[in-house]
Amino acid sequence: MAHPPAIFFPGQGSQTVGMLDALAAVYPSVQHTFEEASDALSRNLWHLVTQGSKEEIDQTANTQPVMLTAGVAVWRVWQAQTAQPVALMAGHSLGEYSALVAAGALAFADAVRLAAERAQFMQEAVPAGEGAMAAVLGLSDEQVIALCAEQAQGAVLAAVNFNSIGQVVIAGATAAVNRAVAAAKGAGAKKAMLLPVSVPSHCDLMRPAAERLAERLAAVPLTLPTVPVLHNVSVTAAADVNALRELLVQQLYRPVRWVETVRAVTAQGVTLALECGPGKVLTGLCKRIDDNLTTLPVFDPKTLDVALEMMAHVER
């Protein structure tokens, strides 16, 4: 039999109103998973996802628990359809929490509450308007890193998401990010644009949020996952529970090393990955990172059937 697949979980940015509707219509466990999360938060997340507004679902305080729940819901559907083992897991930013739940390291209810508090800590760390993020396309990682160093001018500014070849997200103080966007265009970037986010994730402005998260994580039961989870910060699996907690804390103010993560997956002989969660953002990124990895999104009955058919072919 070929190598077992990897499982990837998307993070903030893949959410849409009505996401997973089609899957939930066929698999009741999707709505049950959202009801479980709603009980943990005393908020109706399923109503938010199915009948809320784009503005509501895009609020960080809502997006993070919703995306965590969506990833776990899709994983539960997948797990119920096949006994195929999994080689390893990874999640992009918040998606790392979905991965840890799926791998048995973190109880789902605890993870939902953590996601909501993480979002709150992040939002409160930087007053509205004082932080920003932008995507830079068409420059090398080294060019973007150098550009951030030049345009910081004493403020916080860093390359924070290495998403794919030629696609890097920067974050920091708003004025510094604006300078970097203009400089990137001048340096020949295909595109440099501000992102519609209210929090400058994965940069030093998030250290106050990380300190609060560390206190919260200290009280949450964790175990080592049953399946290796590659962390954004280290691109390795945690050696012990203390290291796992520390990696989740550092994730708030250190970069998401997604390109390296995908390459680490293929270096272990994995040739197939499934993106469990709404949309296909990670699938698109992976296509631009490594031709040796086939990534399939799973978010509705059709994509689920395609993935199951691929798995059956692999098993043969």
Side-chain angles (χ1 to χ4, degrees):
M1 188 178 72
H3 206 292
I7 305 292
F8 295 153
F9 295 92
Q12 198 164 343
S14 293
Q15 71 279 358
T16 57
V17 176
M19 64 185 188
L20 304 189
D21 270 358
L23 195 67
V26 179
Y27 299 99
S29 66
V30 172
Q31 187 170 345
H32 295 160
T33 299
F34 272 86
E35 289 168 354
E36 201 179 323
S38 298
D39 289 344
L41 290 183
S42 299
R43 286 160 50 194
N44 192 332
L45 297 185
W46 186 242
H47 183 272
L48 173 66
V49 165
T50 56
Q51 300 180 47
S53 66
K54 183 180 186 302
E55 289 72 27
E56 286 176 306
I57 202 172
D58 284 348
Q59 291 173 11
T60 296
N62 292 327
T63 307
Q64 296 202 19
V66 158
M67 282 301 300
L68 164 73
T69 303
V72 172
V74 174
W75 163 249
R76 287 176 171 178
V77 170
W78 173 259
Q79 201 177 30
Q81 302 307 305
T82 177
Q84 172 74 31
V86 172
L88 46 80
M89 296 182 176
H92 190 286
S93 191
L94 175 77
E96 200 163 281
Y97 286 77
S98 299
L100 290 170
V101 172
L106 179 60
F108 178 50
D110 286 337
V112 171
R113 286 187 285 265
L114 269 175
E117 290 168 317
R118 177 181 185 268
Q120 178 188 345
F121 299 158
M122 292 171 71
Q123 195 69 69
E124 293 175 354
V126 181
E130 292 189 12
M133 300 182 78
V136 179
L137 281 61
L139 298 181
S140 69
D141 293 355
E142 292 74 21
Q143 284 177 296
V144 177
I145 291 168
L147 187 145
C148 287
E150 293 165 5
Q151 300 302 323
Q153 298 178 18
V156 171
L157 179 64
V160 297
N161 288 6
F162 296 95
N163 284 336
S164 71
I165 311 305
Q167 182 182 330
V168 181
V169 173
I170 62 175
T174 301
V177 172
N178 286 331
R179 287 194 297 271
V181 166
K185 292 175 181 175
K190 291 179 183 176
K191 189 178 288 187
M193 56 187 178
L194 291 172
L195 297 176
V197 297
S198 57
V199 173
S201 303
H202 303 295
C203 72
D204 276 345
L205 293 176
M206 288 293 105
R207 283 185 182 269
E211 291 173 6
R212 295 174 70 186
L213 182 64
E215 291 180 15
R216 183 69 186 86
L217 276 166
V220 175
L222 286 172
T223 61
L224 281 180
T226 55
V227 174
V229 173
L230 298 184
H231 292 270
N232 292 178
V233 170
S234 63
V235 197
T236 61
D240 54 48
V241 171
N242 288 335
L244 197 162
R245 284 194 173 91
E246 181 57 26
L247 287 165
L248 289 176
V249 171
Q250 291 184 20
Q251 190 213 53
L252 275 185
Y253 61 85
R254 290 182 61 183
V256 174
R257 298 162 61 185
W258 192 250
V259 172
E260 292 175 82
T261 299
V262 172
R263 288 175 172 165
V265 168
T266 57
Q268 295 191 30
V270 176
T271 57
L272 176 66
L274 305 175
E275 177 181 1
C276 289
K280 40 183 130 176
V281 170
L282 299 184
T283 299
L285 296 179
C286 291
K287 285 179 180 176
R288 296 193 289 272
I289 295 171
D290 197 325
D291 292 337
N292 296 314
L293 184 69
T294 298
T295 307
L296 300 175
V298 179
F299 57 84
D300 63 11
K302 182 179 178 180
T303 53
L304 174 63
D305 288 345
V306 169
L308 288 170
E309 186 177 337
M310 175 70 82
M311 287 309 313
H313 176 73
V314 167
E315 288 172 347
R316 286 197 297 269

